[in-house]
Each structure stands twice: as structure tokens, then as C-alpha cells.
Amino acid sequence: MFVSLNMLCDISAYDGYLMYIIITALFIPIFLLGIFANVKVNSVFAKYSRVDSNTNLTAAEAARRVLDSEGLQDVAIVRIRGNLTDNYNPSTRVLSLSESVYDSTSVAALGVACHEAGHAIQHAKKYVFSTLRTKLVPILNFANTFLWPLFIIGLIFGFMGSFGTIGDVFLIIGMVIFGGSLLFSLVTLPTEFDASKRALRVLSNGYMSGAELKGARKVLTAAAMTYIASFLMSALQFLRLLAIFFMRRRD
């Protein structure tokens, strides 16, 4: 079940090239999945943005009620620019709702707002995956800044003969950092699924009827697809970099 160090050492440059070809071929369907997921979430959100909730509450008001019911009166709700740029920042304890959500009374907007409120509740209750995700943010930021420079330096040294070992060190450091970034993407999945579950549970408790709840669920499910596609793309990228590491090995 586990890949041992000896097994990795047995992988040849030829195996690396074969691995690279297979992974590159997989990029096409995963890339298309990502495009489909983004188109889907926007189309579903647009559809249910035209369906008003019977509560007559705005998304901001609904989120405020949810937060207050959990004793989170200190969490601020603010309006931010953009469409579907909604988020919760655990470091500032601010829930930000986009212009298309904040004042809307639609089924889609209430679903998104309560989903973000779910993240605030996760943070307050120290939900394990949410906590781990927050701790991985510095690694993600570091990876976004230094990952590719490390790999480029590693490849340059790797193909300079006598400096091959130095190149390996840079490549391995880069893969370790990317592994932390990949872990961030992985723990994001249960975090997002749990926030949606919390949102739907709240909305089913007197906020929405069965038909409205079905619409909110479709919006949140479509949003979840984007996170799945993002994780798969990150996983393939990591495997592609691993293949590059093996491709430059000298048997």
C-alpha cells in the first residue's frame, strides 16, 4: 500500500518519461472538468439567483442570524466587490459577501451566505480540517512565491553534470513544499463539504421550503465540483513534477 524509498530509487529515467506522457494526457480531461465546473457553478448560481426565498431575508441578514444563533456576534459581515468572491477570513473574523450576494433575497444568495457562515462556525468550534487548512496557509503562500524558482534552479543544476546532486536537493525541496500545497487542497474538500452541510441544515430549519432547499443544494454542489477539479489538477501537477525529477536521473 505504501511506496517505499527503495521503490522510488528503482524508477528509471525511462519510467519517468512514460509517467510524464501519461500524466500529460490526463491533464486534458481534468482541465476540461475544471472549465465545466466553473461554467456549471456560474450557470446554476445565475438560475437560482432569479428565485426569491420566501423568508424575504437578504443573504447578509440570514448569515447574521445564523452567526448570532451560534454566539458569534463578534464576526463582522461586510460587502466586497465581485461575483462569487464570498469568503470567511478566520484571522480577522470577517465574513465577506460579494455584491451579487449581500443584498439578494434569492435562494442562491442565501445558500452561499450560510455556507460562508458555516466556515465561521467551523473556526469557532475548531473543526479539525478547517484548523489544519488555516495552519497550511503559510505553506501555500510560500509555495506560490518560491515553488517554480526552486524547480527551475533544480533543473538548471540537474543538467550540469557535476552539480546534479545540488539540482536533486532543490527539486526535492520544491516537491516537499508542493506536497504541503497539495495537502492544503486536499483538506479543503472536507472543509467545504462540511460548510455546505451546515448551511443546508440551517436553511432546512425554517428558512426554506423543500423546493427552495433543493435549489440551494444544487448551487453548493456545483461549487463543490470546482474544489474537486482544483484538487485533481494540483495532484496531477505534483505527479508531473515528480516525473520530471525521474526523467533527469542518470541510470
Side-chain angles (χ1 to χ4, degrees), residues 78-87 95-100 102:
V78 301
R79 185 202 308 267
I80 56 172
R81 302 178 67 178
N83 179 50
L84 294 179
T85 51
D86 314 86
N87 67 88
L95 193 159
S96 301
L97 298 178
S98 61
E99 294 172 330
S100 57
Y102 192 93

Side-chain angles (χ1 to χ4, degrees), residues 90-111:
S91 62
T92 59
R93 296 179 64 80
V94 172
L95 193 159
S96 301
L97 298 178
S98 61
E99 294 172 330
S100 57
V101 169
Y102 192 93
D103 287 322
S104 175
T105 59
S106 71
V107 166
L110 264 68

Side-chain angles (χ1 to χ4, degrees), residues 169-185:
V169 170
F170 276 100
L171 289 173
I172 291 172
I173 292 174
M175 283 188 288
V176 170
I177 294 172
F178 194 95
S181 177
L182 181 61
L183 180 59
F184 176 89
S185 184

Side-chain angles (χ1 to χ4, degrees), residues 112-133:
V112 170
C114 289
H115 172 91
E116 297 305 331
H119 283 308
I121 296 170
Q122 288 175 337
H123 179 243
K125 295 188 174 182
K126 301 187 186 306
Y127 176 64
V128 59
F129 289 110
S130 177
T131 301
L132 179 57
R133 185 173 182 266

Side-chain angles (χ1 to χ4, degrees), residues 193-219:
F193 295 154
D194 180 76
S196 292
K197 182 179 178 181
R198 292 173 190 268
L200 293 171
R201 186 165 58 242
V202 167
L203 292 171
S204 66
N205 189 22
Y207 285 86
M208 288 186 180
S209 64
E212 293 172 344
L213 193 65
K214 183 178 180 180
R217 181 178 287 108
K218 287 183 178 180
V219 171

